């Protein structure tokens, strides 16, 4: 071993560069077949996501009478999840690693987090509007384009805050799972990260889901009472 090391040094190939090169090799989590299967599944998901949401957006834009701004917003955010999330993961799984660099990893994590939150919060807004329309038709909160736009503006800004926070040091974005996609740093051990993830889970997931369940349960109860 000593002889081989001295030979390398004499030949002009220093050991530190060898070690640095070895350190850049991404560890394999799955066998090659596993990554190929994931790539194929994500490809199917990407095609369906992009096709369905482009179709919805096209129909709404070509038929102004059918245009619902909340549905349009939901289709746009879902489309961006497909392009920034599923499409990227299709390519990285085909390669077997997240080979496009740390900056792209952070951008993908930010985009998926942001547009995913927008989709969930938009669904929450839709549920609340259905609740008001069915359960409280006389309270004056009638659905209007202006009211929908104001609600969506709040949703997009609220979600932007939670997506930007990790970029500013409150938590962070990094590789996850089988190292072919990026998301929040769920495994990071720090109180800053813990505080973000706890509040994120409570405010950005549990609360919206609870509102959706409450609103649609009330809608179903009301419809059953009036025999709809």
């Amino acid at each position: 071993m000593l002889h081989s090391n001295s030979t390398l040094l004499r030949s002009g190939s220093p050991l530190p560069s060898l070690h640095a090169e070895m350190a850049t090799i991404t560890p394999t989590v799955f066998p090659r077949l596993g990554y190929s299967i994931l790539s194929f599944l994500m490809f199917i998901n990407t095609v369906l996501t992009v096709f369905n949401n482009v179709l919805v957006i096209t129909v709404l834009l070509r038929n102004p009478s059918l245009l619902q701004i909340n549905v349009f917003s939901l289709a746009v955010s879902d489309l961006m999840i497909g392009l920034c999330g599923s499409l990227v993961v299709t390519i990285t799984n085909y390669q077997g690693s997240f080979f496009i660099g740390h900056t792209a990893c952070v951008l993908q994590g930010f985009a998926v987090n942001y547009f995913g939150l927008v989709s969930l919060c938009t669904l929450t807004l839709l549920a609340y509007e259905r609740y008001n329309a069915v359960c409280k038709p006389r309270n004056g909160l009638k659905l209007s384009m202006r009211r929908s736009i104001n609600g969506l503006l709040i949703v997009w800004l609220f979600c932007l805050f939670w997506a930007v926070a990790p970029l500013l040091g409150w938590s962070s974005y990094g590789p996850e799972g089988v190292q072919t996609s990026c998301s929040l740093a769920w495994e990071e051990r720090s109180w800053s990260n813990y505080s973000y993830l706890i509040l994120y889970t409570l405010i950005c997931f549990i609360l919206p889901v609870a509102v959706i369940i409450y609103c649609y349960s009330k809608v179903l109860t009301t419809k059953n009472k009036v025999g709809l």
Side-chain angles (χ1 to χ4, degrees), residues 10-87:
R10 287 197 302 271
S11 64
S13 300
L15 286 176
S17 63
L18 258 179
H19 291 165
E21 183 180 351
M22 292 174 64
T24 61
I25 299 174
T26 304
T28 300
V29 179
F30 266 11
R32 179 67 255 180
L33 178 61
Y35 283 113
S36 298
I37 293 174
L38 284 177
S39 180
F40 174 75
L41 293 176
M42 293 310 301
F43 172 75
I44 299 299
N45 181 70
T46 301
V47 171
L48 294 176
T49 299
V50 172
F51 174 78
N52 289 336
N53 286 289
V54 168
L55 181 62
V56 170
I57 292 170
T58 302
V59 169
L60 291 176
L61 290 178
R62 289 186 175 181
N63 299 274
S65 61
L66 299 177
L67 181 60
Q68 297 183 36
I69 192 66
N70 288 337
V71 176
F72 182 82
S73 172
L74 182 61
V76 170
S77 59
D78 284 348
L79 175 62
M80 294 305 298
I81 293 174
L83 295 176
C84 299
S86 301
L87 178 59

Coordinates of all heavy atoms in Angstrom, one line a residue, residues 10-87:
R10 N 4.9 10.1 -7.1 CA 6.0 10.3 -8.0 C 5.4 10.6 -9.4 O 6.0 11.3 -10.3 CB 6.9 9.1 -8.1 CG 7.8 9.0 -6.9 CD 9.0 8.0 -7.2 NE 8.5 6.7 -7.5 CZ 8.3 5.8 -6.7 NH1 8.4 6.0 -5.4 NH2 7.8 4.6 -7.1
S11 N 4.2 10.0 -9.7 CA 3.6 10.1 -11.1 C 2.9 11.5 -11.3 O 2.4 11.7 -12.3 CB 2.7 9.0 -11.4 OG 1.6 9.1 -10.5
G12 N 2.8 12.3 -10.2 CA 2.2 13.6 -10.3 C 0.7 13.6 -10.1 O 0.0 14.5 -10.4
S13 N 0.2 12.5 -9.5 CA -1.3 12.4 -9.2 C -1.4 12.4 -7.6 O -1.4 11.3 -7.0 CB -1.9 11.1 -9.7 OG -1.7 11.1 -11.1
P14 N -1.5 13.6 -7.0 CA -1.5 13.6 -5.6 C -2.8 13.0 -5.0 O -3.9 13.0 -5.6 CB -1.6 15.1 -5.3 CG -2.1 15.8 -6.5 CD -1.6 14.9 -7.7
L15 N -2.6 12.4 -3.8 CA -3.7 11.7 -3.1 C -4.9 12.6 -2.8 O -6.0 12.2 -2.9 CB -3.2 11.0 -1.9 CG -2.3 9.8 -2.1 CD1 -1.8 9.3 -0.8 CD2 -3.1 8.7 -2.8
P16 N -4.7 13.9 -2.3 CA -5.9 14.7 -2.0 C -6.9 14.8 -3.2 O -8.1 14.8 -2.9 CB -5.3 16.0 -1.6 CG -3.9 15.7 -1.1 CD -3.5 14.5 -2.0
S17 N -6.4 14.9 -4.4 CA -7.3 15.1 -5.5 C -8.1 13.8 -5.8 O -9.2 13.8 -6.1 CB -6.5 15.5 -6.8 OG -5.6 14.4 -7.1
L18 N -7.4 12.7 -5.5 CA -8.1 11.4 -5.6 C -9.2 11.3 -4.6 O -10.4 10.9 -4.9 CB -7.1 10.2 -5.4 CG -6.6 9.5 -6.6 CD1 -5.6 8.4 -6.2 CD2 -7.7 8.9 -7.4
H19 N -8.9 11.7 -3.4 CA -9.9 11.6 -2.3 C -11.1 12.6 -2.6 O -12.2 12.3 -2.4 CB -9.3 12.0 -1.0 CG -8.3 10.9 -0.5 ND1 -7.4 11.1 0.5 CD2 -8.1 9.6 -0.9 CE1 -6.7 10.0 0.7 NE2 -7.1 9.1 -0.2
A20 N -10.7 13.8 -3.1 CA -11.8 14.7 -3.5 C -12.7 14.2 -4.5 O -13.9 14.4 -4.5 CB -11.2 16.1 -3.9
E21 N -12.1 13.5 -5.5 CA -12.9 13.0 -6.6 C -13.8 11.9 -6.1 O -15.0 11.8 -6.5 CB -12.0 12.4 -7.7 CG -12.7 11.8 -8.9 CD -11.8 11.3 -9.9 OE1 -10.6 11.5 -9.8 OE2 -12.3 10.7 -10.9
M22 N -13.3 11.0 -5.2 CA -14.1 10.0 -4.6 C -15.2 10.5 -3.7 O -16.3 10.0 -3.7 CB -13.2 9.0 -3.7 CG -12.2 8.2 -4.6 SD -11.1 7.3 -3.5 CE -12.3 6.2 -2.7
A23 N -15.0 11.7 -3.1 CA -16.0 12.3 -2.2 C -17.2 12.8 -3.0 O -18.3 13.0 -2.4 CB -15.4 13.4 -1.4
T24 N -17.0 13.1 -4.3 CA -18.1 13.7 -5.1 C -19.0 12.6 -5.6 O -20.1 12.9 -6.2 CB -17.5 14.5 -6.2 OG1 -16.8 13.6 -7.1 CG2 -16.7 15.6 -5.7
I25 N -18.7 11.3 -5.5 CA -19.5 10.3 -6.0 C -20.7 10.1 -5.2 O -20.6 10.0 -3.9 CB -18.7 8.9 -6.1 CG1 -17.5 9.1 -7.0 CG2 -19.6 7.8 -6.5 CD1 -16.6 7.9 -7.0
T26 N -21.9 10.2 -5.8 CA -23.2 10.1 -5.0 C -23.4 8.6 -4.7 O -23.4 7.7 -5.5 CB -24.3 10.6 -5.9 OG1 -24.0 11.9 -6.3 CG2 -25.6 10.5 -5.1
P27 N -23.7 8.3 -3.4 CA -24.0 6.9 -3.0 C -25.3 6.4 -3.6 O -26.2 7.2 -3.8 CB -24.1 7.0 -1.5 CG -24.5 8.5 -1.2 CD -23.8 9.3 -2.3
T28 N -25.3 5.2 -4.0 CA -26.4 4.6 -4.6 C -27.4 4.0 -3.5 O -26.9 3.2 -2.7 CB -26.0 3.4 -5.5 OG1 -25.2 4.0 -6.5 CG2 -27.2 2.8 -6.1
V29 N -28.6 4.5 -3.4 CA -29.6 4.0 -2.5 C -30.4 2.9 -3.0 O -30.6 1.9 -2.3 CB -30.5 5.2 -2.1 CG1 -31.5 4.7 -1.0 CG2 -29.7 6.4 -1.5
F30 N -30.8 3.0 -4.3 CA -31.5 1.9 -5.0 C -30.6 1.2 -6.0 O -29.7 1.8 -6.5 CB -32.7 2.6 -5.7 CG -34.0 2.6 -4.9 CD1 -34.0 2.3 -3.6 CD2 -35.2 2.9 -5.6 CE1 -35.2 2.3 -2.9 CE2 -36.4 3.0 -4.9 CZ -36.4 2.7 -3.5
P31 N -31.0 0.0 -6.3 CA -30.3 -0.6 -7.5 C -30.8 0.1 -8.8 O -31.8 0.8 -8.8 CB -30.8 -2.1 -7.5 CG -32.1 -2.0 -6.7 CD -31.9 -0.9 -5.7
R32 N -30.0 -0.1 -9.8 CA -30.3 0.6 -11.1 C -31.8 0.4 -11.5 O -32.4 1.3 -12.0 CB -29.3 0.1 -12.2 CG -29.5 0.7 -13.5 CD -29.2 2.1 -13.6 NE -30.4 3.0 -13.7 CZ -30.3 4.3 -13.7 NH1 -29.2 4.9 -13.6 NH2 -31.5 5.0 -13.8
L33 N -32.3 -0.9 -11.4 CA -33.6 -1.2 -11.7 C -34.6 -0.4 -10.9 O -35.7 0.1 -11.5 CB -33.9 -2.7 -11.6 CG -35.3 -3.2 -11.9 CD1 -35.6 -2.9 -13.4 CD2 -35.4 -4.7 -11.6
G34 N -34.4 -0.2 -9.7 CA -35.3 0.6 -8.8 C -35.4 2.0 -9.3 O -36.5 2.6 -9.4
Y35 N -34.3 2.7 -9.7 CA -34.4 4.0 -10.2 C -35.1 4.1 -11.5 O -35.8 5.0 -11.8 CB -33.0 4.6 -10.3 CG -32.3 5.0 -9.0 CD1 -31.2 4.4 -8.5 CD2 -32.8 6.1 -8.3 CE1 -30.6 4.8 -7.3 CE2 -32.3 6.5 -7.1 CZ -31.2 5.8 -6.6 OH -30.6 6.2 -5.5
S36 N -34.9 3.0 -12.3 CA -35.6 3.0 -13.6 C -37.1 2.9 -13.5 O -37.9 3.6 -14.2 CB -35.1 1.8 -14.5 OG -33.7 1.9 -14.7
I37 N -37.5 2.1 -12.5 CA -39.0 1.9 -12.2 C -39.5 3.3 -11.7 O -40.6 3.7 -12.2 CB -39.2 0.8 -11.2 CG1 -38.9 -0.5 -11.8 CG2 -40.7 0.8 -10.7 CD1 -38.9 -1.7 -10.8
L38 N -38.8 3.9 -10.8 CA -39.3 5.2 -10.3 C -39.3 6.2 -11.4 O -40.3 7.0 -11.5 CB -38.3 5.7 -9.2 CG -38.4 5.1 -7.8 CD1 -37.3 5.6 -6.9 CD2 -39.8 5.3 -7.2
S39 N -38.4 6.3 -12.3 CA -38.4 7.2 -13.4 C -39.6 7.0 -14.3 O -40.2 7.9 -14.7 CB -37.1 7.0 -14.2 OG -37.0 7.9 -15.3
F40 N -39.9 5.7 -14.6 CA -41.0 5.4 -15.4 C -42.3 5.8 -14.8 O -43.2 6.5 -15.4 CB -41.1 3.9 -15.7 CG -42.3 3.5 -16.5 CD1 -42.4 3.7 -17.8 CD2 -43.3 2.8 -15.8 CE1 -43.6 3.3 -18.5 CE2 -44.5 2.4 -16.5 CZ -44.6 2.7 -17.9
L41 N -42.5 5.6 -13.5 CA -43.7 5.9 -12.8 C -43.9 7.5 -12.7 O -45.0 8.0 -12.9 CB -43.7 5.4 -11.4 CG -43.8 3.8 -11.2 CD1 -43.7 3.4 -9.8 CD2 -45.1 3.3 -11.8
M42 N -42.8 8.2 -12.5 CA -42.8 9.6 -12.4 C -43.1 10.2 -13.8 O -43.7 11.3 -14.0 CB -41.5 10.2 -11.9 CG -41.3 9.9 -10.4 SD -42.7 10.2 -9.3 CE -42.9 12.0 -9.6
F43 N -42.6 9.5 -14.9 CA -42.9 10.0 -16.2 C -44.4 9.9 -16.5 O -45.0 10.9 -17.1 CB -42.1 9.1 -17.2 CG -42.5 9.4 -18.7 CD1 -42.1 10.5 -19.3 CD2 -43.3 8.5 -19.4 CE1 -42.4 10.8 -20.6 CE2 -43.7 8.7 -20.7 CZ -43.2 9.9 -21.3
I44 N -45.0 8.8 -16.1 CA -46.5 8.7 -16.3 C -47.2 9.7 -15.5 O -48.1 10.4 -16.0 CB -47.0 7.3 -15.8 CG1 -46.3 6.2 -16.7 CG2 -48.5 7.2 -15.9 CD1 -46.6 6.2 -18.2
N45 N -46.8 10.0 -14.3 CA -47.4 11.0 -13.4 C -47.2 12.4 -14.1 O -48.2 13.2 -14.1 CB -46.8 11.0 -12.0 CG -47.4 12.0 -11.1 OD1 -48.5 11.9 -10.7 ND2 -46.6 13.0 -10.8
T46 N -46.1 12.6 -14.6 CA -45.8 13.9 -15.3 C -46.7 14.2 -16.5 O -47.3 15.2 -16.6 CB -44.3 14.0 -15.7 OG1 -43.5 13.9 -14.6 CG2 -44.0 15.4 -16.3
V47 N -46.8 13.1 -17.3 CA -47.6 13.3 -18.5 C -49.1 13.5 -18.1 O -49.7 14.4 -18.7 CB -47.5 12.0 -19.4 CG1 -48.6 12.0 -20.5 CG2 -46.1 11.9 -19.9
L48 N -49.6 12.8 -17.2 CA -51.0 12.9 -16.8 C -51.3 14.3 -16.1 O -52.3 15.0 -16.4 CB -51.4 11.8 -15.8 CG -51.5 10.4 -16.4 CD1 -51.8 9.4 -15.3 CD2 -52.5 10.3 -17.5
T49 N -50.3 14.7 -15.2 CA -50.5 16.0 -14.6 C -50.4 17.1 -15.5 O -51.3 18.0 -15.5 CB -49.3 16.2 -13.5 OG1 -49.4 15.1 -12.5 CG2 -49.4 17.5 -12.8
V50 N -49.5 17.1 -16.4 CA -49.3 18.2 -17.4 C -50.5 18.3 -18.3 O -51.1 19.3 -18.6 CB -48.0 18.1 -18.2 CG1 -48.0 19.2 -19.3 CG2 -46.8 18.3 -17.2
F51 N -50.9 17.1 -18.9 CA -52.0 17.0 -19.8 C -53.3 17.5 -19.2 O -54.0 18.3 -19.8 CB -52.2 15.6 -20.3 CG -53.4 15.4 -21.2 CD1 -53.3 15.8 -22.6 CD2 -54.5 14.8 -20.7 CE1 -54.5 15.7 -23.4 CE2 -55.6 14.7 -21.5 CZ -55.6 15.1 -22.9
N52 N -53.6 17.0 -18.0 CA -54.9 17.3 -17.4 C -55.0 18.8 -17.0 O -56.1 19.4 -17.2 CB -55.1 16.4 -16.1 CG -55.4 15.0 -16.4 OD1 -55.9 14.7 -17.5 ND2 -55.1 14.1 -15.5
N53 N -54.0 19.3 -16.5 CA -54.0 20.7 -16.0 C -53.9 21.7 -17.2 O -54.6 22.7 -17.2 CB -52.9 21.0 -15.0 CG -53.2 20.4 -13.7 OD1 -54.1 20.8 -12.9 ND2 -52.5 19.3 -13.3
V54 N -53.2 21.4 -18.2 CA -53.2 22.2 -19.4 C -54.6 22.2 -20.1 O -55.1 23.2 -20.6 CB -52.1 21.7 -20.4 CG1 -52.3 22.4 -21.8 CG2 -50.7 22.0 -19.9
L55 N -55.2 21.0 -20.1 CA -56.6 20.9 -20.6 C -57.5 21.8 -19.8 O -58.4 22.5 -20.4 CB -57.0 19.4 -20.6 CG -58.4 19.1 -21.1 CD1 -58.5 19.5 -22.6 CD2 -58.8 17.7 -20.9
V56 N -57.5 21.7 -18.5 CA -58.4 22.6 -17.7 C -58.1 24.0 -17.9 O -59.1 24.8 -18.1 CB -58.2 22.2 -16.2 CG1 -58.9 23.3 -15.3 CG2 -58.6 20.8 -15.9
I57 N -56.9 24.4 -18.0 CA -56.5 25.8 -18.2 C -57.0 26.3 -19.6 O -57.6 27.4 -19.7 CB -55.0 26.1 -18.1 CG1 -54.6 25.9 -16.6 CG2 -54.6 27.5 -18.6 CD1 -53.1 25.8 -16.4
T58 N -56.8 25.5 -20.6 CA -57.3 25.8 -22.0 C -58.8 26.0 -22.0 O -59.3 26.9 -22.6 CB -56.8 24.7 -23.0 OG1 -55.4 24.6 -22.9 CG2 -57.2 25.1 -24.4
V59 N -59.5 25.0 -21.4 CA -61.0 25.1 -21.4 C -61.5 26.3 -20.7 O -62.4 27.0 -21.2 CB -61.6 23.8 -20.8 CG1 -63.1 24.0 -20.6 CG2 -61.3 22.6 -21.6
L60 N -60.9 26.7 -19.6 CA -61.3 27.8 -18.8 C -61.1 29.1 -19.6 O -61.9 30.1 -19.6 CB -60.7 27.9 -17.5 CG -61.1 26.8 -16.5 CD1 -60.3 26.9 -15.2 CD2 -62.6 26.9 -16.2
L61 N -59.9 29.2 -20.3 CA -59.5 30.4 -21.0 C -60.4 30.6 -22.2 O -60.7 31.7 -22.6 CB -58.1 30.4 -21.4 CG -57.1 30.5 -20.2 CD1 -55.6 30.5 -20.7 CD2 -57.3 31.9 -19.4
R62 N -60.8 29.5 -22.9 CA -61.5 29.6 -24.1 C -63.0 29.7 -23.8 O -63.8 30.0 -24.7 CB -61.3 28.3 -25.0 CG -59.9 28.3 -25.6 CD -59.8 27.1 -26.5 NE -58.5 27.1 -27.2 CZ -58.2 26.2 -28.1 NH1 -59.0 25.2 -28.5 NH2 -57.0 26.2 -28.7
N63 N -63.5 29.5 -22.6 CA -64.9 29.6 -22.2 C -65.0 30.5 -21.0 O -65.1 30.0 -19.9 CB -65.5 28.3 -22.0 CG -65.4 27.3 -23.2 OD1 -66.3 27.4 -24.0 ND2 -64.4 26.5 -23.2
P64 N -65.0 31.8 -21.2 CA -65.0 32.8 -20.1 C -66.2 32.5 -19.2 O -66.1 32.8 -18.0 CB -65.1 34.2 -20.8 CG -64.5 33.9 -22.1 CD -64.9 32.5 -22.5
S65 N -67.3 32.0 -19.7 CA -68.5 31.8 -18.9 C -68.3 30.7 -17.8 O -68.9 30.6 -16.8 CB -69.7 31.4 -19.7 OG -69.4 30.2 -20.5
L66 N -67.3 29.8 -18.1 CA -67.0 28.7 -17.2 C -65.8 29.1 -16.2 O -65.5 28.3 -15.3 CB -66.6 27.5 -18.0 CG -67.6 26.9 -18.9 CD1 -67.1 25.7 -19.7 CD2 -68.9 26.5 -18.1
L67 N -65.2 30.2 -16.5 CA -64.0 30.6 -15.7 C -64.3 30.8 -14.3 O -65.1 31.7 -13.9 CB -63.4 31.8 -16.3 CG -62.1 32.3 -15.6 CD1 -61.0 31.2 -15.7 CD2 -61.6 33.6 -16.3
Q68 N -63.7 30.0 -13.4 CA -63.7 30.1 -12.0 C -62.2 30.4 -11.6 O -61.4 29.5 -11.8 CB -64.2 28.9 -11.3 CG -65.7 28.7 -11.6 CD -66.3 27.5 -10.8 OE1 -65.9 27.3 -9.7 NE2 -67.1 26.7 -11.4
I69 N -61.9 31.5 -11.0 CA -60.6 31.9 -10.8 C -59.9 31.0 -9.8 O -58.7 30.7 -9.9 CB -60.5 33.4 -10.3 CG1 -59.1 33.9 -10.3 CG2 -61.1 33.5 -8.9 CD1 -58.5 34.0 -11.7
N70 N -60.6 30.4 -8.8 CA -60.0 29.5 -7.9 C -59.6 28.2 -8.6 O -58.5 27.6 -8.3 CB -61.0 29.2 -6.8 CG -61.2 30.4 -5.8 OD1 -60.3 31.2 -5.7 ND2 -62.3 30.4 -5.1
V71 N -60.5 27.7 -9.5 CA -60.1 26.5 -10.2 C -58.9 26.7 -11.1 O -58.1 25.9 -11.3 CB -61.4 26.0 -11.0 CG1 -61.0 24.8 -11.8 CG2 -62.5 25.7 -10.1
F72 N -58.9 27.9 -11.7 CA -57.8 28.2 -12.6 C -56.5 28.3 -11.8 O -55.5 27.8 -12.3 CB -58.1 29.6 -13.3 CG -57.0 30.1 -14.2 CD1 -57.0 29.6 -15.5 CD2 -56.0 31.0 -13.8 CE1 -56.0 30.0 -16.4 CE2 -55.0 31.4 -14.7 CZ -55.0 30.9 -16.0
S73 N -56.5 28.9 -10.7 CA -55.3 29.0 -9.8 C -54.9 27.6 -9.4 O -53.7 27.3 -9.4 CB -55.7 29.8 -8.5 OG -54.6 29.7 -7.6
L74 N -55.8 26.7 -9.1 CA -55.5 25.4 -8.7 C -54.8 24.6 -9.8 O -53.8 23.9 -9.6 CB -56.7 24.6 -8.2 CG -56.6 23.2 -7.7 CD1 -55.7 23.1 -6.5 CD2 -57.9 22.6 -7.4
A75 N -55.4 24.8 -11.0 CA -54.8 24.1 -12.2 C -53.4 24.6 -12.5 O -52.5 23.8 -12.8 CB -55.7 24.3 -13.4
V76 N -53.1 25.9 -12.3 CA -51.8 26.5 -12.5 C -50.8 25.9 -11.5 O -49.7 25.5 -11.9 CB -51.8 28.0 -12.5 CG1 -50.4 28.6 -12.4 CG2 -52.6 28.6 -13.6
S77 N -51.2 25.9 -10.2 CA -50.2 25.4 -9.2 C -50.0 24.0 -9.4 O -48.8 23.5 -9.2 CB -50.8 25.7 -7.8 OG -52.1 25.1 -7.6
D78 N -51.0 23.2 -9.7 CA -50.8 21.7 -10.0 C -49.9 21.5 -11.2 O -49.0 20.6 -11.2 CB -52.1 21.0 -10.2 CG -52.9 20.8 -8.9 OD1 -52.2 21.0 -7.8 OD2 -54.0 20.5 -8.9
L79 N -50.1 22.3 -12.2 CA -49.2 22.2 -13.4 C -47.7 22.5 -13.1 O -46.8 21.8 -13.5 CB -49.7 23.2 -14.5 CG -48.8 23.3 -15.7 CD1 -48.8 22.0 -16.5 CD2 -49.3 24.4 -16.7
M80 N -47.5 23.5 -12.2 CA -46.2 23.9 -11.8 C -45.5 22.8 -11.0 O -44.3 22.5 -11.0 CB -46.2 25.2 -11.1 CG -46.5 26.4 -11.9 SD -45.5 26.5 -13.4 CE -43.9 26.8 -12.7
I81 N -46.3 22.1 -10.2 CA -45.8 21.0 -9.4 C -45.3 19.9 -10.4 O -44.3 19.3 -10.2 CB -46.9 20.4 -8.4 CG1 -47.2 21.4 -7.3 CG2 -46.4 19.1 -7.8 CD1 -48.4 21.0 -6.5
G82 N -46.1 19.6 -11.4 CA -45.8 18.6 -12.4 C -44.5 19.0 -13.1 O -43.6 18.1 -13.3
L83 N -44.3 20.3 -13.5 CA -43.1 20.7 -14.2 C -41.9 20.8 -13.3 O -40.8 20.4 -13.7 CB -43.4 22.0 -14.9 CG -44.5 22.0 -16.0 CD1 -44.7 23.4 -16.5 CD2 -44.1 21.1 -17.1
C84 N -42.1 21.4 -12.2 CA -40.9 21.6 -11.3 C -40.6 20.4 -10.4 O -39.5 20.2 -9.9 CB -41.2 22.8 -10.4 SG -41.4 24.3 -11.2
G85 N -41.6 19.5 -10.2 CA -41.4 18.4 -9.3 C -41.3 17.1 -10.1 O -40.2 16.5 -10.2
S86 N -42.4 16.6 -10.7 CA -42.4 15.3 -11.3 C -41.5 15.2 -12.5 O -40.8 14.2 -12.7 CB -43.9 15.0 -11.8 OG -44.8 15.0 -10.7
L87 N -41.4 16.2 -13.3 CA -40.6 16.2 -14.5 C -39.1 16.1 -14.1 O -38.3 15.3 -14.6 CB -40.8 17.4 -15.4 CG -39.9 17.6 -16.6 CD1 -40.2 16.4 -17.5 CD2 -40.3 18.9 -17.4

